[in-house]
Amino acid sequence: MDGSEVSNLHIEQQHLAMVVTALITAVGTFLATKSTNKVTLENENIKNATSLYEQYKELNQQLQQKVDKLEGKVEKLQEKYEKEINFYKLEIEKLEGQNELLQRENEVLKLENIKLKEGVSNDQLEN
């Protein structure tokens, strides 16, 4: 998730908070002005509530689309890294096998070296 997407989510959350605040204000207005023309006021509040609900649905849908998009990106990254991890696991196994072979060869060479040194020492003693 990059910074611009986080920023966009934050802005959309602010919009959602404004919608909820507006909805609360609309309900408060309704309760405070009961004594006025009830039919007109109720109709206006219904329009406001409907409008706010539609805005909320739209914002919620946009957020869901972004979440879906981000989930897709996360899945792709996870697949990519799993492939890389498997590649490096195989490389490590191969290198460990090579290391074992080299260690055995080194031991053989050490033994040969010791034998050669003993042979040189014995030759020097005989001369």
Side-chain angles (χ1 to χ4, degrees), residues 1 3 41 54 69 77 96 104 108 110 117 122 125:
M1 183 182 298
L41 186 59
E54 291 301 320
K69 183 179 176 181
L77 285 173
E96 285 175 344
R104 281 190 236 133
V108 169
K110 284 180 183 179
K117 284 182 181 180
N122 288 341
L125 291 177

Side-chain angles (χ1 to χ4, degrees), residues 70-82:
L70 289 173
E71 285 175 345
K73 285 182 179 181
V74 167
E75 286 178 23
K76 287 179 184 177
L77 285 173
Q78 186 174 359
E79 288 175 13
K80 175 186 172 189
Y81 290 128
E82 284 176 4

Side-chain angles (χ1 to χ4, degrees), residues 67-117:
V67 167
D68 293 342
K69 183 179 176 181
L70 289 173
E71 285 175 345
K73 285 182 179 181
V74 167
E75 286 178 23
K76 287 179 184 177
L77 285 173
Q78 186 174 359
E79 288 175 13
K80 175 186 172 189
Y81 290 128
E82 284 176 4
K83 287 178 184 177
E84 287 182 14
I85 288 169
N86 289 332
F87 170 79
Y88 287 116
K89 281 181 180 179
L90 292 174
E91 285 296 309
I92 288 171
E93 288 176 13
K94 185 173 91 174
L95 291 172
E96 285 175 344
Q98 289 176 351
N99 189 26
E100 287 177 27
L101 289 173
L102 290 172
Q103 286 178 351
R104 281 190 236 133
E105 185 179 340
N106 191 27
E107 289 301 318
V108 169
L109 292 173
K110 284 180 183 179
L111 292 173
E112 287 179 11
N113 191 22
I114 290 170
K115 289 179 184 177
L116 288 172
K117 284 182 181 180

